[in-house]
Every structure is written in structure tokens, then in C-alpha cells.
Amino acid sequence: MAKQKFVYFFGEGKAEGDAKMKELLGGKGANLAEMTNLGIPVPPGFTISTEVCAAYYENKQKYPEGLEKEVLDNLTKLEKVMGKKLGDPEDPLLVSVRSGAAVSMPGMMDTILNLGMNDKAVVGLANKTGNPRFAWDAYRRFIQMYGDIVMGIPHDEFEEALAAMKKAKKVELDTGLDAKDLENLVVEYKKIYKKHTKKDFPQNPLDQLWGAINAVFGSWMNERAIKYRELNNIKGLKGTAVNVQSMVFGNFGDDSGTGVCFSRDPSTGKNEFYGEFLMNAQGEDVVAGIRTPEKIATLAKKNKKVYEQLLDIKDKLENHFRDMQDMEFTVQQGVLYILQTRNGKRAGAAAVKIAVDMVAEGLIDKETAIKRVTPEHLDQLLHPMIDPKALKGIKPLTKGLNASPGAACGRIVFTAKDAEEWAERGEKVLLVRKDTSPEDIGGMVVSEGILTSTGGMTSHAAVVARGMGTPCVAGAKGVSVQGKKVVIGEKTFKEGDWITIDGSTGDVYEGQFPLISPKMSKDLETFLSWCDKVCADSVRGNVKGFLVRTNADQPEDAKRAFDFGAQGVGLCRTEHMFFDKEKLIHFRTMIVADTEEARKEALKKILPLQKKDFFGIFKAMEGRPVTIRLLDPPLHEFVPHTKEEVAELAEHLGVKPKDLQPKIDKLHEANPMLGHRGCRLAVTYPEIYDMQVEAIVLAAIDCVKKNIPVKPEIMIPIVCDEQELALLRPRAEAIIKKNLEKAKVKLDIQIGTMIEVPRAALLADKIAAFADFFSFGTNDLTQMTFAFSRDDVGSFMPAYEKLGLLDVDPFKSVDEEGVGMLMNWATTKGRSVKSDLKVGICGEQGGDPATIDFCFRTGLNYVSCSPFRVPIARLTAAQAVLRNTKK
Ligand code: ADP
Ligand code: MG
Ligand code: MG
């Protein structure tokens, strides 16, 4: 067997790796190699593969044999290419040691710059470059990073020493310190190093190199990296790679600088070169948000040639990778270098716009576009914004950068820890800080929004907030955090005060504002129409389409869902129509009535009310199918419980409460969820369903007469045996027929059933004989399959999840193994007797991406979810089709 290769060189226009090798070289390493091959100016270096990281953890943190030699050989090669040697007292080579896994984890792992610096090299570098200030700055940065990352010395201590030096010299910025100051700072830094490690700062560059490599591999398993992977559900990676790369210096002087740029605007998606930079600074200064950087366009004024070269490169990279690129660059004495490129993270609006634009530009096809937008992106677009009416005449306190879109209101907290504690108590919090760093991640997750006073669009706060879809205003100069107080504009706020931020505009407001949900943009409509096409073209069973319907009980819900692109109503629950105060009294009258006549009398009063609601829903759906479920909940829920309710009903009936009470007592059930509910109500009181069916037909007839297209479907719940349907279906058919004939209207009204009792799923072939369609009621089906009471899971589900007894909450995402087996069986059995049986899902899980994928695989024809989830479901449904359909 050939010897395993651990290290991959890149430099001088060719590389041993390429962009396809992300798994092995990490995203950063693979793209450094690819850029090198493309002839883009990348400082040479080499990448130690992710397999070494995996081996390191498998083998009690020891490296595989042969690694050391391979690293040293590549170092020698690098020294040759650069014409410099690591640690050389005359003309030292300096390198960066950078982490990078296959999936980008921004700011989650550690990078060390200027490695190779020591007491001799610093002098050599100062002489060689004629720039002692730069040499000492590089050294002090190296001690700080090495101390912090490799030795775990709190970086605050270094920062304090730096601040003290600036104070003593009465300068505001780091750039105000001269060579001598920095030399003195190095002395201070070494003292800090020694105090913590009891050792002198390592002078041997090879010791430094291995210390740094160890630290990068070590960072793979640090808490924040683990937490990041957990939060982003990143699994199955081998580890991080380590990139050792020759340094270029943006802190060389005023003709040098460093920056981050995007080939398109990552917030809006506009096809405009976007980015920011700092002159005379090293990479991490931009990302850390210590100084507020300048807009990329101003680089044209500082160095036109470099700016134009950068424009060329961003076009070249975008065309090459066919996606928006996020690039790091450094200019050393007027010479441009690219240090990183990757497909840029983007806000939801940008994701959609870029996808739509790139299709129009011919860069990608529609399928690729659909795959690139995530449910989270759309979720952001459907984020609330401040009600413009409430904003009328109100001035913001201040304005910062619109770093992550959406509006948020919350109570001010100043630390991530406080954010977590407050959120735990159920408070809505808004994290207000000077800047954020990776250890704040836990607090950022629970915050409604994030406001920072420093840093740019690529600061940690901005990048992480965009990734999480949390609204963020960054770099707000009018914000000054002072301990447990903050001045915003002219006003001082304390912890717990309410503020509102608008991450789409950058505005910050005092107090709480009503938030409203946004409208769909034209780009989003276009994009989702592509998704719909994919869904409409797919065939499941013998029926065309894998569609997204909605759960809507009221005309307004139906209208909203229609606007969001729902292809029908998958579930219209009718019980709310009974709970309505006006109707409830009639229904209560019905359930305590002694005779059929009295029951009919009471139901008559409800009929026109139901009819009106149905008409509204039919109208809103403009001829798309509307599945109406006949009355489902336990009778128990309608029974008057309190004294007042009993008194009210008694008065309505003109009887004494004490005479009414025994009848009510008789309706009591020990186990209502398994009791008198669903179609069992119609077995005992057929008049109820009769009335509902009549209301449906009459509403449909009204539509036909008004030229409104209509497609009602009647759904019978809680069926467990085909005999129930054999009894109820003909009754419904008779009512439909009678009313249609009377009105001289022709209309096809399907009658189907919910599959939500396990027995019904098992006997689906028998049931299918009486049903035009199936709809899986996965709330009850899950409840009855697990024997988990939906209303009581709170008492044990957290423990199940914590102990890993269940991977996912089966009420959020369908349990594929168990419940899914029943769904699969029922679909197959049902279609075995009725090949064109339409099958859908109407449980709460219907909007969950994993469930949607499962439903597609199982052969369902539609999913149904709440109106707000509809756009996301349209995307995930199309993605499921693409993912599971072989070309
Ligand atoms: P991250 O993954 O956190 O972005 P990076 O490895 O990209 O970490 O590096 C952090 C910063 O250091 C970036 O701004 C990067 O451009 C800069 N940097 C890394 N390597 C070099 C180098 N060889 N020369 C100059 N700057 C570098
Ligand atoms: Mg980077
Ligand atoms: Mg149910």
C-alpha cells in the first residue's frame, strides 16, 4: 500500500490539492490550493490534512508516524520558495498557522500569525525591512496570540498592557505607538507570558511551530468549536486541517492594509462589490471589530491599481466557483495577496436575490439555485419588521450598520451570561455590547437581537447574527456601553430597559414596538415559483404533484396562506367554529338535549355560521382543494365546567342549574382523548356531521352560483374501522346529493379520512375502499403509536431527549422508524386497492424539513403546515424532490 500522504504543498502557481479536496484539506486549504492553481497571488504554504486530526484524536493525541518528517520537508520546500528561513537572524521567514475544517466555522477555531519571531529574528526583520516599528509590532502580536491560543493566557492581560502603554503615550490607536514603545511592550508581554507559564517565551521556531500545530488540532475539540458544531448540526467531519502559510504584512505601514470583501452584498444580495478594510493593520483587526474599518470603495482612492486587481480577482473567483465569494486580502507595500476565499454566508434576502440573479446571468441553473437557499434563509425573510404605522413620527435614537435583517424588541442585557439567565426566566433580551467574541455564542443564541458599538459588517457579531438569523445592528457609534449602563444617542439606559432594533436599516429605538410580518418580494415569488414547478411535476403514487397545503381554520388564515403560495387547505378544523362564544351556547344546548329533534333544533342555529366560514375559506383559496375535517375533539371539551358556565347554559335553556348538572355529570369521561370524539360523535349523534356536511355543500353551492371556483373535500377523523366509514359516508353522500340536486348544481365533493389511529393505518386497504383520500393526522398518530399524551409530554420528554432515548421530539419531526412505518404501510396498502388514492399529511410536523423529506420518500402527494411556514415548506418540498429523484 502506498504511504499515506499527510501534507499538501501550494505555491509558485501550482498546488498539490484543489477545491474538490475540502474533506481532506478543509475548505480554507482546498481553496488556497485552487486559487494557487488559478494563478491568483496567494502566499505559498502547505496544508496538513484533516486525516491527521482524526488520527491525532484516535491515537490519544499522538501524530501518525511520518508526519513530522513530512512537515519538515514541506517547511524546507517553503523556505526554498521564499528564499528565507524560519528563525533566520538576518532575514527570517514568518508563517501563519491557520485552522480550517471542511465546513467553515467562522471565528470558531484559532489562528496564529507571525510565527517564527524571536529576539534575534525581530532585529533581523527590523534591519532587513528598515521598518523596526513593524518588526516589533509583529513580535508583540505573535507573543499575544501564541500566549493566548497555545498557552491559554487570558488575552485581556495583553490587552490591558497595550491599553496602559497607549495611555502612557497619550495615543488613541495602536498605530500611534512607535518602535520603541512596541519593543517595551514586548518586554511587558514576555513578563505576562512568564508569569502564567513559568517559562520564558520559546525562542526556537520549530518548538513554536509544533506548539501552534498542536493548538490548532486542539482547538477542534474546544468548547466553542463543539458548541458551534452542535448548534449548526455539523456532523461527520474528520477534523480540522492545519494551514502553514508564509506571512504577508498589512501592518507594514501606510501603503499596506488588510480587508475582507464579498463579490456581492451579503445583506441585500445586490451585485455590488462589497467589503471593508483597514490600512496599516493585520488581518484579525478587521474581524475583531477593534477599529471600525473603511468601505472597500475608498480603497480605489488609496491604491487604484490594487483596487482594480481586486475587482478582477473577485470576478474571476465568482465565475470560477459560480457563487458569491467571501475573500480575505492583504496589501503589503502596494502588492495584493489573497488569503482566503469561500462561498460567502449571506442573509436570507441576499440568498434569494443572488440565486435569482445568478440564474438570470446564466451562472447557475434553477436546480442549483433551489439547492442553495436554505429554510433558515427563508425563515429570516419571514422575520418580523416594525409596524411602519407605529413608527410614524418617531426618530431613532441612533443608527448603526444594518448587519443582520429583521426587527427585534427586547430588554437590555450586557453580557452573554445575563442573556442566558434572563432568557431562561422567559424574558426577551437584547444583547448590547461593545463587540462580541466566540465565547458569547450561548448568549447570542437566546437574544432577540444584538447591538454592538464597534466593528463592521464582518465583525464577529455581524457574521454570527446573520448566520443565526438574529437581527443585529453593529458598529453603532452612537452607542456607548459603560458598565451596566449604556448611552444610546443622548439617552442613558440601564439593564432591563426595553429597546427595539431594526437590523434591516440599522436603526435603534427606545421602547417596544409592534412587529409585523413582511410581504413576499418579487425575487422570492420568482424563486418559489421554480420550487413549485419542481413539486408540481413530480408524481407520487399515481397522482401528480408533491404539493404544499396549509392548515387554516378561518378565512383570514386561508387568505394569508394563499398569498404565501399554499396549493390548498390540507386541514380546516371546524371545532373553533363551535368554541366561538356565539355558537358554543347552541352546541352546549345540543349536547344536553334529550331528543333528536331538540338536537337538530340547536344545530340549525350553528349551520349558517359554519356555512359563512366555509364560504370565506373556499373563496380565499380560489378553487384549490379545501379539506374540511368534521368535528373531532372530545365532547368533554365542550361540556360546561365552571359554575358560571353551567348557570349560563341553564338560563339559556330556562332550567335550574341543579337540574342540568346531572346531565353534565353523565358526559364526564375518564380519558377524553381516547373517548367520545371524532367520528364516534357522529356514530352517537349523526345530526352533527349531517349539519356540517350540509353547511359545506351549501357554502360550495353559493360559490358556484357566484362563479367562484370551489373544490371541497370532506374528511372524517378518528376512524379505526372501515365500518365507521361504511356508516357515515353514505349519509354524507345523500346530503350532498340532495342539496346539489335541489340547487341544480353539479359538483364533485370527495370524502376521505384521516389516518391517525394505528388500527386504521394497519387496515388501510379496507379503509381505502370507502375513502377518496387519506390524510395522516400525525399528531394523534404519534400520540397513539407512542402512547405519549401530547398534553403531558412536558413532564418526561426533556429527560428522554437529555438521555438520548429519542433523537428528536416525535411531535416536531415525524418518527420515521415507528410512526413512519405505519405511514408507509398505510400508503402502500391503501394504494393497493385504489391506485389513484391521494395521500397527505396534516399534523404539526408537516412544516418540518425532515418530515417533508420523509413524506416525499413515502409517496405522499401533499404536506400541510401553518400559513407562515408555507414558503419554507415550498422550498423544502422542492429540495426533497431534487434530493430524492435520480436523474
Ligand atoms: P479565520 O478562519 O478565523 O478567518 P484565518 O486563518 O483566516 O482565520 O486567519 C485570521 C486572520 O489572519 C485573517 O484575517 C487572515 O487573513 C489573516 N492571515 C492568515 N494567514 C495570514 C498570512 N499568511 N499572512 C497575513 N495574514 C494572514
Ligand atoms: Mg479567515
Ligand atoms: Mg386528530
Side-chain angles (χ1 to χ4, degrees), residues 28 43 96 98-99 106-107 109 111 113 245-249 258 282-284 287 328 330 339-340 342:
K28 202 179 284 168
S96 65
R98 318 171 66 185
S99 62
M109 290 195 301
T111 292
L113 303 179
Q245 186 178 30
S246 50
M247 283 297 302
V248 289
F249 302 101
T258 186
Q282 216 165 32
E284 76 281 10
V287 183
E328 291 172 2
T330 284
L339 289 164
Q340 189 172 341
R342 61 179 166 219

mmCIF file of all heavy atoms in Angstrom, residues 28 43 96 98-99 106-107 109 111 113 245-249 258 282-284 287 328 330 339-340 342, ligand 1:
data_model
loop_
_atom_site.group_PDB
_atom_site.id
_atom_site.type_symbol
_atom_site.label_atom_id
_atom_site.label_comp_id
_atom_site.label_asym_id
_atom_site.label_seq_id
_atom_site.Cartn_x
_atom_site.Cartn_y
_atom_site.Cartn_z
ATOM 1 N N LYS A 28 -10.595 25.980 3.712
ATOM 2 C CA LYS A 28 -9.572 27.010 3.530
ATOM 3 C C LYS A 28 -8.404 26.460 2.715
ATOM 4 O O LYS A 28 -7.993 27.066 1.717
ATOM 5 C CB LYS A 28 -9.096 27.473 4.914
ATOM 6 C CG LYS A 28 -8.457 28.832 4.932
ATOM 7 C CD LYS A 28 -8.035 29.205 6.365
ATOM 8 C CE LYS A 28 -9.212 29.619 7.201
ATOM 9 N NZ LYS A 28 -8.874 29.717 8.642
ATOM 10 N N PRO A 43 0.040 33.725 -0.838
ATOM 11 C CA PRO A 43 1.331 33.405 -0.227
ATOM 12 C C PRO A 43 1.491 31.883 -0.122
ATOM 13 O O PRO A 43 0.563 31.204 0.304
ATOM 14 C CB PRO A 43 1.242 34.048 1.163
ATOM 15 C CG PRO A 43 0.133 35.048 1.066
ATOM 16 C CD PRO A 43 -0.810 34.546 0.021
ATOM 17 N N SER A 96 1.985 31.907 9.119
ATOM 18 C CA SER A 96 0.764 31.821 9.919
ATOM 19 C C SER A 96 0.410 30.349 10.034
ATOM 20 O O SER A 96 0.755 29.551 9.160
ATOM 21 C CB SER A 96 -0.383 32.591 9.259
ATOM 22 O OG SER A 96 -0.746 31.997 8.040
ATOM 23 N N ARG A 98 -2.954 28.246 10.487
ATOM 24 C CA ARG A 98 -4.393 28.513 10.410
ATOM 25 C C ARG A 98 -5.193 27.224 10.419
ATOM 26 O O ARG A 98 -4.836 26.259 9.760
ATOM 27 C CB ARG A 98 -4.719 29.248 9.099
ATOM 28 C CG ARG A 98 -3.757 30.310 8.736
ATOM 29 C CD ARG A 98 -3.993 30.846 7.331
ATOM 30 N NE ARG A 98 -5.259 31.534 7.193
ATOM 31 C CZ ARG A 98 -5.713 32.003 6.026
ATOM 32 N NH1 ARG A 98 -5.008 31.808 4.922
ATOM 33 N NH2 ARG A 98 -6.852 32.630 5.977
ATOM 34 N N SER A 99 -6.302 27.247 11.115
ATOM 35 C CA SER A 99 -7.178 26.076 11.119
ATOM 36 C C SER A 99 -8.133 26.157 9.939
ATOM 37 O O SER A 99 -8.228 27.192 9.283
ATOM 38 C CB SER A 99 -7.981 26.063 12.410
ATOM 39 O OG SER A 99 -8.782 27.214 12.447
ATOM 40 N N PRO A 106 -16.729 30.140 11.184
ATOM 41 C CA PRO A 106 -16.042 31.421 11.342
ATOM 42 C C PRO A 106 -15.759 31.770 12.800
ATOM 43 O O PRO A 106 -16.644 31.698 13.635
ATOM 44 C CB PRO A 106 -17.015 32.434 10.725
ATOM 45 C CG PRO A 106 -18.323 31.728 10.634
ATOM 46 C CD PRO A 106 -18.050 30.281 10.567
ATOM 47 N N GLY A 107 -14.493 32.110 13.032
ATOM 48 C CA GLY A 107 -14.113 32.557 14.367
ATOM 49 C C GLY A 107 -14.165 31.465 15.418
ATOM 50 O O GLY A 107 -13.968 31.711 16.597
ATOM 51 N N MET A 109 -12.317 28.594 15.512
ATOM 52 C CA MET A 109 -11.053 27.969 15.852
ATOM 53 C C MET A 109 -9.932 28.980 15.742
ATOM 54 O O MET A 109 -10.158 30.124 15.390
ATOM 55 C CB MET A 109 -10.837 26.763 14.989
ATOM 56 C CG MET A 109 -11.818 25.682 15.389
ATOM 57 S SD MET A 109 -11.384 24.122 14.744
ATOM 58 C CE MET A 109 -11.408 24.499 13.039
ATOM 59 N N THR A 111 -6.200 30.851 14.980
ATOM 60 C CA THR A 111 -5.159 31.109 14.005
ATOM 61 C C THR A 111 -4.028 31.885 14.676
ATOM 62 O O THR A 111 -4.284 32.784 15.478
ATOM 63 C CB THR A 111 -5.731 31.926 12.835
ATOM 64 O OG1 THR A 111 -6.639 31.113 12.117
ATOM 65 C CG2 THR A 111 -4.641 32.394 11.896
ATOM 66 N N LEU A 113 -0.575 34.145 13.943
ATOM 67 C CA LEU A 113 0.162 34.870 12.904
ATOM 68 C C LEU A 113 1.588 35.158 13.369
ATOM 69 O O LEU A 113 1.874 35.158 14.562
ATOM 70 C CB LEU A 113 -0.548 36.190 12.584
ATOM 71 C CG LEU A 113 -2.016 36.075 12.125
ATOM 72 C CD1 LEU A 113 -2.598 37.468 11.863
ATOM 73 C CD2 LEU A 113 -2.141 35.211 10.898
ATOM 74 N N GLN A 245 1.352 28.897 6.391
ATOM 75 C CA GLN A 245 1.442 29.751 5.206
ATOM 76 C C GLN A 245 2.388 30.912 5.476
ATOM 77 O O GLN A 245 2.360 31.505 6.566
ATOM 78 C CB GLN A 245 0.043 30.283 4.879
ATOM 79 C CG GLN A 245 -0.018 31.066 3.591
ATOM 80 C CD GLN A 245 -1.430 31.523 3.291
ATOM 81 O OE1 GLN A 245 -2.215 31.749 4.206
ATOM 82 N NE2 GLN A 245 -1.739 31.669 2.014
ATOM 83 N N SER A 246 3.204 31.230 4.466
ATOM 84 C CA SER A 246 4.129 32.353 4.651
ATOM 85 C C SER A 246 3.332 33.636 4.863
ATOM 86 O O SER A 246 2.284 33.834 4.258
ATOM 87 C CB SER A 246 5.036 32.481 3.431
ATOM 88 O OG SER A 246 4.272 32.468 2.251
ATOM 89 N N MET A 247 3.833 34.470 5.750
ATOM 90 C CA MET A 247 3.112 35.692 6.117
ATOM 91 C C MET A 247 3.289 36.779 5.062
ATOM 92 O O MET A 247 4.359 36.931 4.470
ATOM 93 C CB MET A 247 3.658 36.251 7.436
ATOM 94 C CG MET A 247 3.217 35.531 8.687
ATOM 95 S SD MET A 247 1.448 35.582 8.997
ATOM 96 C CE MET A 247 1.137 37.345 9.059
ATOM 97 N N VAL A 248 2.224 37.539 4.885
ATOM 98 C CA VAL A 248 2.334 38.840 4.230
ATOM 99 C C VAL A 248 1.818 39.857 5.242
ATOM 100 O O VAL A 248 1.042 39.513 6.120
ATOM 101 C CB VAL A 248 1.545 38.893 2.906
ATOM 102 C CG1 VAL A 248 2.226 38.059 1.853
ATOM 103 C CG2 VAL A 248 0.115 38.441 3.118
ATOM 104 N N PHE A 249 2.258 41.097 5.097
ATOM 105 C CA PHE A 249 2.026 42.035 6.195
ATOM 106 C C PHE A 249 1.229 43.262 5.781
ATOM 107 O O PHE A 249 1.682 44.087 4.996
ATOM 108 C CB PHE A 249 3.358 42.450 6.799
ATOM 109 C CG PHE A 249 4.142 41.272 7.301
ATOM 110 C CD1 PHE A 249 5.181 40.738 6.571
ATOM 111 C CD2 PHE A 249 3.787 40.670 8.500
ATOM 112 C CE1 PHE A 249 5.887 39.633 7.023
ATOM 113 C CE2 PHE A 249 4.476 39.555 8.961
ATOM 114 C CZ PHE A 249 5.542 39.037 8.221
ATOM 115 N N THR A 258 -5.295 45.547 5.158
ATOM 116 C CA THR A 258 -5.907 44.236 5.097
ATOM 117 C C THR A 258 -7.408 44.397 5.101
ATOM 118 O O THR A 258 -7.917 45.401 5.604
ATOM 119 C CB THR A 258 -5.447 43.385 6.291
ATOM 120 O OG1 THR A 258 -5.948 42.074 6.125
ATOM 121 C CG2 THR A 258 -5.946 43.924 7.612
ATOM 122 N N GLN A 282 -3.232 44.252 10.702
ATOM 123 C CA GLN A 282 -3.125 42.844 10.389
ATOM 124 C C GLN A 282 -4.516 42.221 10.456
ATOM 125 O O GLN A 282 -5.397 42.734 11.154
ATOM 126 C CB GLN A 282 -2.153 42.155 11.358
ATOM 127 C CG GLN A 282 -1.356 41.069 10.658
ATOM 128 C CD GLN A 282 -0.147 40.605 11.440
ATOM 129 O OE1 GLN A 282 -0.162 40.598 12.661
ATOM 130 N NE2 GLN A 282 0.900 40.210 10.736
ATOM 131 N N GLY A 283 -4.678 41.139 9.686
ATOM 132 C CA GLY A 283 -5.975 40.503 9.455
ATOM 133 C C GLY A 283 -6.987 40.569 10.580
ATOM 134 O O GLY A 283 -8.087 41.050 10.388
ATOM 135 N N GLU A 284 -6.591 40.117 11.736
ATOM 136 C CA GLU A 284 -7.598 39.956 12.772
ATOM 137 C C GLU A 284 -8.179 41.285 13.263
ATOM 138 O O GLU A 284 -9.221 41.322 13.891
ATOM 139 C CB GLU A 284 -7.041 39.112 13.931
ATOM 140 C CG GLU A 284 -6.080 39.809 14.878
ATOM 141 C CD GLU A 284 -4.665 39.918 14.328
ATOM 142 O OE1 GLU A 284 -4.453 39.619 13.134
ATOM 143 O OE2 GLU A 284 -3.779 40.328 15.089
ATOM 144 N N VAL A 287 -11.635 41.658 11.565
ATOM 145 C CA VAL A 287 -12.634 40.712 12.026
ATOM 146 C C VAL A 287 -13.017 40.981 13.485
ATOM 147 O O VAL A 287 -14.177 40.892 13.866
ATOM 148 C CB VAL A 287 -12.110 39.266 11.879
ATOM 149 C CG1 VAL A 287 -13.168 38.262 12.277
ATOM 150 C CG2 VAL A 287 -11.656 39.022 10.442
ATOM 151 N N GLU A 328 -10.593 37.174 1.859
ATOM 152 C CA GLU A 328 -9.695 37.948 2.714
ATOM 153 C C GLU A 328 -8.501 38.373 1.874
ATOM 154 O O GLU A 328 -7.969 37.568 1.114
ATOM 155 C CB GLU A 328 -9.199 37.089 3.883
ATOM 156 C CG GLU A 328 -10.279 36.766 4.885
ATOM 157 C CD GLU A 328 -9.816 35.758 5.936
ATOM 158 O OE1 GLU A 328 -8.636 35.338 5.909
ATOM 159 O OE2 GLU A 328 -10.651 35.366 6.753
ATOM 160 N N THR A 330 -4.779 40.975 1.742
ATOM 161 C CA THR A 330 -3.808 41.819 2.423
ATOM 162 C C THR A 330 -2.966 42.512 1.365
ATOM 163 O O THR A 330 -2.649 41.917 0.335
ATOM 164 C CB THR A 330 -2.944 40.967 3.379
ATOM 165 O OG1 THR A 330 -3.719 40.662 4.546
ATOM 166 C CG2 THR A 330 -1.697 41.724 3.835
ATOM 167 N N LEU A 339 -5.837 35.798 0.754
ATOM 168 C CA LEU A 339 -5.539 34.846 1.822
ATOM 169 C C LEU A 339 -6.632 33.807 2.033
ATOM 170 O O LEU A 339 -6.436 32.826 2.727
ATOM 171 C CB LEU A 339 -5.313 35.604 3.128
ATOM 172 C CG LEU A 339 -4.000 36.382 3.095
ATOM 173 C CD1 LEU A 339 -3.968 37.415 4.197
ATOM 174 C CD2 LEU A 339 -2.821 35.437 3.226
ATOM 175 N N GLN A 340 -7.775 34.069 1.473
ATOM 176 C CA GLN A 340 -8.841 33.096 1.655
ATOM 177 C C GLN A 340 -9.973 33.429 0.715
ATOM 178 O O GLN A 340 -10.243 34.595 0.430
ATOM 179 C CB GLN A 340 -9.372 33.166 3.099
ATOM 180 C CG GLN A 340 -10.337 32.046 3.423
ATOM 181 C CD GLN A 340 -10.714 32.012 4.902
ATOM 182 O OE1 GLN A 340 -10.020 32.583 5.735
ATOM 183 N NE2 GLN A 340 -11.799 31.359 5.216
ATOM 184 N N ARG A 342 -14.099 31.782 0.021
ATOM 185 C CA ARG A 342 -15.087 30.727 0.278
ATOM 186 C C ARG A 342 -16.437 31.238 -0.191
ATOM 187 O O ARG A 342 -16.616 32.439 -0.394
ATOM 188 C CB ARG A 342 -15.142 30.393 1.771
ATOM 189 C CG ARG A 342 -15.548 31.584 2.607
ATOM 190 C CD ARG A 342 -15.627 31.220 4.083
ATOM 191 N NE ARG A 342 -15.698 32.439 4.873
ATOM 192 C CZ ARG A 342 -15.096 32.644 6.021
ATOM 193 N NH1 ARG A 342 -14.336 31.703 6.545
ATOM 194 N NH2 ARG A 342 -15.232 33.773 6.662
HETATM 195 P P1 ADP B 1 -10.493 32.555 10.376
HETATM 196 O O1 ADP B 1 -10.869 31.222 9.890
HETATM 197 O O2 ADP B 1 -10.905 32.828 11.758
HETATM 198 O O3 ADP B 1 -10.865 33.624 9.398
HETATM 199 P P2 ADP B 1 -7.833 32.766 9.333
HETATM 200 O O4 ADP B 1 -6.928 31.610 9.348
HETATM 201 O O5 ADP B 1 -8.467 33.069 8.033
HETATM 202 O O6 ADP B 1 -8.905 32.557 10.457
HETATM 203 O O7 ADP B 1 -6.958 33.972 9.811
HETATM 204 C C1 ADP B 1 -7.274 35.024 10.660
HETATM 205 C C2 ADP B 1 -6.773 36.308 10.049
HETATM 206 O O8 ADP B 1 -5.375 36.263 9.818
HETATM 207 C C3 ADP B 1 -7.406 36.600 8.717
HETATM 208 O O9 ADP B 1 -7.712 37.953 8.632
HETATM 209 C C4 ADP B 1 -6.343 36.229 7.736
HETATM 210 O O10 ADP B 1 -6.458 36.971 6.545
HETATM 211 C C5 ADP B 1 -5.063 36.563 8.482
HETATM 212 N N1 ADP B 1 -3.969 35.737 7.996
HETATM 213 C C6 ADP B 1 -3.906 34.401 7.991
HETATM 214 N N2 ADP B 1 -2.783 33.955 7.421
HETATM 215 C C7 ADP B 1 -2.086 35.047 7.027
HETATM 216 C C8 ADP B 1 -0.864 35.233 6.336
HETATM 217 N N3 ADP B 1 -0.141 34.213 5.934
HETATM 218 N N4 ADP B 1 -0.459 36.498 6.109
HETATM 219 C C9 ADP B 1 -1.223 37.532 6.516
HETATM 220 N N5 ADP B 1 -2.374 37.420 7.162
HETATM 221 C C10 ADP B 1 -2.826 36.184 7.413
#
